[in-house]
Amino acid sequence: MVNIDGILKEKGLSKTDVAKRMELSRESLYRILSGNPTLDNLNKLANALEVPISELFNQPRTNDFTCPNCGTRQN
């Protein structure tokens, strides 16, 4: 659901860094990420990461195409 690991790697941040930005303990952040986060918590997380909320979610690739004849994949 939440694509935080990729964003953290991209931004060079740790979960501890993000928890500090959200003014939470690391454990509280882990509970939010492992549970069912509220919209408020998702907004706080997006703000702490400086990304739009939509980037927190894994998004399927919709432009991928596999040729039915040869199996070549294009994106």
Side-chain angles (χ1 to χ4, degrees):
M1 175 171 66
V2 177
N3 181 28
I4 190 168
D5 291 328
I7 296 169
L8 290 173
K9 185 175 180 179
E10 192 176 289
K11 295 197 172 264
L13 297 169
S14 69
K15 289 181 181 172
T16 302
D17 297 328
V18 174
K20 285 180 184 176
R21 288 181 178 192
M22 293 175 69
E23 299 179 352
L24 297 172
S25 68
R26 194 176 92 203
E27 292 76 20
S28 294
L29 177 61
Y30 277 89
R31 279 193 298 274
I32 289 169
L33 295 175
S34 64
N36 191 10
T38 64
L39 182 57
D40 185 50
N41 283 332
L42 289 173
N43 278 320
K44 288 178 184 177
L45 181 58
N47 288 335
L49 292 169
E50 299 174 344
V51 298
I53 197 168
S54 61
E55 284 194 34
L56 297 178
F57 297 91
N58 295 325
Q59 299 175 7
R61 299 182 117 196
T62 56
N63 296 334
D64 286 355
F65 173 77
T66 303
C67 176
N69 295 322
C70 68
T72 302
R73 187 173 198 150
Q74 298 178 357
N75 20 357

